[in-house]
Amino acid sequence: DGGITQSPKYLFRKEGQNVTLSCEQNLNHDAMYWYRQDPGQGLRLIYYSQIVNDFQKGDIAEGYSVSREKKESFPLTVTSAQKNPTAFYLCASSYLNTEAFFGQGTRLTVV
Amino acid sequence: KQEVTQIPAALSVPEGENLVLNCSFTDSAIYNLQWFRQDPGKGLTSLLLIQSSQREQTSGRLNASLDKSSGRSTLYIAASQPGDSATYLCAPGGGGGNKLTFGTGTQLKVEL
């Protein structure tokens, strides 16, 4: 089955803790993206990567970090510097300038 | 900076009606525009992709049009069904990396 897999589905973070969200795709897509969704707001871009070992900041990159060591993987770390991390996180992938496909999301809650 | 507005924000209709969902965007320098559907607590499902050189795209009961110069796109849903109930999002893609910019969506409820 081709697609995008995000894990875990639910994640709980304690204050001051770093957590990493996983995103894997087997679509052979070059580009991968991380978005954050808050109630009543549109999705906002955190980071994106067009090629292995390269990535760019989106609109709300502060408090987040990423890596792109393999074409199929684009993990997102939510650091302790992110003061309001509770949100729904969505990963997407595409060939450049073509249709984007999304994973099922990870819901992160601060406890 | 690209800004996307979707009207109406919410819509409730009886089954069988034909619907029009509107999307406007401020920057016409886009590569494409995508329409998505999102069910509560789920990820996004791609419905239609319109390239910037195209005027419309059709898939089953769905038809999307694009007027790039005026910054507008319309999603037409024919013969609506209760299973169409979801939030519909439009997202123009542009800039380096074809970044998608999202509006807040139209929340659709189709009642029996």
Side-chain angles (χ1 to χ4, degrees):
Chain A
D1 259 343
I4 301 172
T5 302
Q6 290 188 241
S7 62
K9 189 173 181 180
Y10 299 97
L11 187 57
F12 298 91
R13 190 193 97 165
K14 295 181 180 178
E15 295 283 350
Q17 192 178 44
N18 292 354
V19 292
T20 298
L21 284 60
S22 172
C23 178
E24 303 276 332
Q25 55 99 359
N26 60 6
L27 301 168
N28 200 36
H29 286 164
D30 298 302
M32 297 188 74
Y33 310 83
W34 274 105
Y35 290 87
R36 169 181 172 142
Q37 187 176 35
D38 295 280
Q41 295 193 39
L43 278 73
R44 292 179 291 168
L45 182 64
I46 305 172
Y47 268 98
Y48 66 102
S49 169
Q50 300 178 68
I51 195 170
V52 174
N53 292 324
D54 189 43
F55 48 83
Q56 285 76 41
K57 293 181 179 180
D59 299 321
I60 56 165
E62 185 175 351
Y64 300 97
S65 66
V66 294
S67 63
R68 186 87 186 276
E69 297 177 0
K70 299 185 296 182
K71 188 176 187 178
E72 58 270 23
S73 179
F74 192 40
L76 174 74
T77 296
V78 184
T79 74
S80 57
Q82 172 50 241
K83 298 307 178 189
N84 185 23
T86 295
F88 190 47
Y89 291 86
L90 289 158
C91 178
S93 72
S94 72
Y95 292 116
L96 278 180
N97 301 340
T98 63
E99 190 174 13
F101 295 91
F102 280 76
Q104 288 301 301
T106 293
R107 189 165 299 280
L108 174 62
T109 303
V110 174
V111 296
Chain B
K1 182 184 173 185
Q2 181 75 276
E3 293 183 4
V4 179
T5 303
Q6 291 189 246
I7 295 173
L11 186 60
S12 182
V13 299
E15 183 179 14
E17 280 209 1
N18 299 326
L19 308 172
V20 176
L21 307 183
N22 296 294
C23 171
S24 62
F25 49 94
T26 55
D27 185 353
S28 61
I30 63 172
Y31 296 128
N32 52 45
L33 185 141
Q34 220 169 326
W35 281 91
F36 295 91
R37 154 186 188 138
Q38 186 176 30
D39 294 287
K42 304 292 186 183
L44 276 61
T45 299
S46 178
L47 298 173
L48 289 165
L49 170 74
I50 311 176
Q51 297 291 355
S52 60
S53 58
Q54 296 177 312
R55 298 285 289 185
E56 66 179 278
Q57 195 67 255
T58 298
S59 176
R61 294 183 294 109
L62 304 179
N63 175 276
S65 66
L66 174 64
D67 184 344
K68 199 175 87 159
S69 61
S70 68
R72 295 178 189 275
S73 178
T74 298
L75 180 66
Y76 177 82
I77 303 176
S80 58
Q81 303 171 357
D84 294 332
S85 298
T87 296
Y88 290 80
L89 299 162
C90 84
N98 194 39
K99 301 182 292 289
L100 297 176
T101 302
F102 288 85
T104 51
T106 293
Q107 189 172 4
L108 172 64
K109 184 175 182 181
V110 182
E111 298 173 319
L112 288 168

